Amino acid sequence: MQSKTQQSSFGKLADDTAVHLYTLTNSTGLVAKITNYGTIITELHVPDRHGKPGDIVLGFDNLDQYLKGHPYFGCTVGRVANRIAKGKFTLDGKTYSLAVNNGPSHLHGGLKGFDKVLWKAEPQAGAAIKFTFTSSDGEEGYPGALTVTVVMTLTDANELRIDYSAHTDKPTPINLTNHSYFNLAGAGDVLGHEFMLAADRFTASDANLIPTGEIKPVKGTAMDFTSPTPIGSRFSQLKSDPIGYDDNFVLNNGGKSLALGARVFEPASGRVMEVHTTQPGIQLYTGNFLDGTLTGKHGVVYRQHSGFCLETQHFPDSVNQPTFPSIILRPGQAYRQTTAFKFSTQ
Ligand code: GLA
């Protein structure tokens, strides 16, 4: 089979602008559908251990439902993914104020982040699509015009590879991630999925999920995924409300090169997903806030823990934590990050 990228219509925005859906098919038959609205991955079809394909991401089958609002299904998150305490930071002596859209914090780029904008799309050779968006100076309170490119490729090694790059005309924070919710069984809850995280440490956080600045060892805690563990097996030890993981792990590789950050195995289907990333951190989120009010593809109701996210990233609130790796991009510098989700069976 020849890998390919096909374009189709995915509806219209309120102002009548046409939105497209891109279907990427690789040489082994993996299929990803991605729209240029928010660069949302709407479908991802991966075979189980018997070779039977199944859609393993949460989402909707039409644009209107995405437009009505949703908890960041499948999208690129930016300009700064995760939380910024009180929506404030100081850069080169100037203080910036951002939208406070998550309790007392700024979350995932603000009121109209990169998940809610229309990106320019250019299909590439094979199974690949290049998305470009320029966020204007001052947009959502952030300084500098920032041009972002996200290339998504379905490789013949059965990876969904995401290459991010960006440049700016003024110093600005940047922290891009993809917010896909996975369910390797294709349905039901994810509590029996076995997780391995290549992280000996995590960033401790307060009740608002803002890091305290402390980096703690996972050893002896419910955060220890250094050997494969069913994700739901230690929920009773967590203090979170709603229950589940919503935590940033410090990857052992430290963001130096593309390295294994996580491996997830779903025993019933045999599906395995490895996450390789150049980022120093990964947010494990177990869909704690899903509450049965959204009905997705194929009429499936999304309940608590129907999906999980592995958001490769710099640490939350890095702009206010001098000891964390910096997320400041300056003019003349090139921002580059890669994350690859690699699929197999066992
Ligand atoms: C991230 C956050 C969660 C939640 C989801 C979206 O993963 O860490 O707390 O806000 O996004 O619902």
Side-chain angles (χ1 to χ4, degrees):
M1 198 186 299
Q2 187 89 30
S3 61
K4 60 180 181 214
T5 302
Q6 292 155 298
Q7 178 183 306
S8 57
S9 169
F10 198 50
K12 283 181 174 173
L13 299 181
D15 69 0
D16 241 25
T17 313
V19 178
H20 294 106
L21 191 66
Y22 297 87
T23 302
L24 280 51
T25 309
N26 79 350
S27 65
T28 70
L30 247 61
V31 175
K33 296 191 182 185
I34 309 167
T35 170
N36 60 328
Y37 176 73
T39 78
I40 295 169
I41 300 164
T42 65
E43 295 178 33
L44 183 57
H45 298 265
V46 172
D48 66 11
R49 64 160 72 85
H50 305 297
K52 189 172 171 271
D55 186 0
I56 57 146
V57 293
L58 273 50
F60 304 116
D61 45 27
N62 61 79
L63 178 65
D64 287 344
Q65 272 184 288
Y66 284 107
L67 295 176
K68 276 187 209 144
H70 61 99
Y72 303 92
F73 287 153
C75 57
T76 295
V77 180
R79 188 176 296 201
V80 176
N82 216 301
R83 292 173 178 76
I84 294 178
K86 302 185 179 81
K88 282 202 183 342
F89 66 94
T90 301
L91 175 57
D92 296 340
K94 194 168 172 220
T95 298
Y96 295 89
S97 289
L98 312 168
V100 167
N101 58 332
N102 183 254
S105 316
H106 175 82
L107 178 72
H108 288 341
L111 301 177
K112 191 177 177 186
F114 294 179
D115 58 301
K116 297 181 189 69
V117 300
L118 199 63
W119 294 62
K120 179 180 159 198
E122 296 165 275
Q124 308 292 295
I129 179 86
K130 177 180 173 181
F131 294 111
T132 313
F133 174 69
T134 297
S135 170
S136 51
D137 186 5
E139 192 169 309
E140 289 294 326
Y142 290 106
L146 177 76
T147 298
V148 178
T149 301
V150 177
V151 179
M152 298 193 186
T153 309
L154 215 46
T155 73
D156 289 336
N158 290 343
E159 300 159 311
L160 174 63
R161 183 183 163 112
I162 309 179
D163 292 292
Y164 302 90
S165 54
H167 57 88
T168 183
D169 67 358
K170 283 183 193 163
T172 184
I174 176 171
N175 188 19
L176 305 177
T177 193
N178 179 273
H179 207 292
S180 286
Y181 288 66
F182 299 95
N183 181 324
L184 301 185
D189 68 51
V190 297
L191 301 182
H193 286 48
E194 291 172 17
F195 278 65
M196 188 288 295
L197 299 178
D200 295 337
R201 297 176 303 155
F202 68 103
T203 51
S205 55
D206 68 13
N208 295 316
L209 300 177
I210 295 291
T212 59
E214 215 184 336
I215 293 184
K216 287 189 171 167
V218 297
K219 209 175 163 58
T221 75
M223 306 290 279
D224 189 351
F225 287 98
T226 51
S227 53
T229 309
I231 193 72
S233 64
R234 293 175 303 195
F235 273 12
S236 61
Q237 296 174 40
L238 301 174
K239 291 187 186 68
S240 55
D241 179 23
I243 198 76
Y245 292 93
D246 196 353
D247 296 279
N248 174 61
F249 290 78
V250 177
L251 294 174
N252 295 338
N253 185 56
K256 290 186 279 288
S257 58
L258 191 65
L260 181 70
R263 185 177 193 273
V264 186
F265 168 59
E266 198 285 300
S269 65
R271 289 192 184 93
V272 173
M273 181 174 85
E274 285 181 0
V275 184
H276 298 257
T277 187
T278 55
Q279 291 275 19
I282 200 162
Q283 183 89 5
L284 167 62
Y285 171 58
T286 48
N288 314 342
F289 293 106
L290 297 174
D291 59 4
T293 51
L294 290 175
T295 300
K297 290 173 282 183
H298 325 296
V300 177
V301 176
Y302 295 140
R303 304 186 197 285
Q304 196 178 35
H305 313 134
S306 286
F308 68 87
C309 304
L310 283 169
E311 302 156 59
T312 57
Q313 60 180 3
H314 271 59
F315 308 163
D317 202 28
S318 288
V319 277
N320 293 307
Q321 292 287 349
T323 61
F324 289 178
S326 171
I327 60 164
I328 303 303
L329 182 71
R330 294 184 180 275
Q333 294 178 335
Y335 173 89
R336 270 183 216 290
Q337 295 290 346
T338 295
T339 293
F341 300 96
K342 186 172 170 55
F343 300 97
S344 59
T345 58
Q346 160 187 321

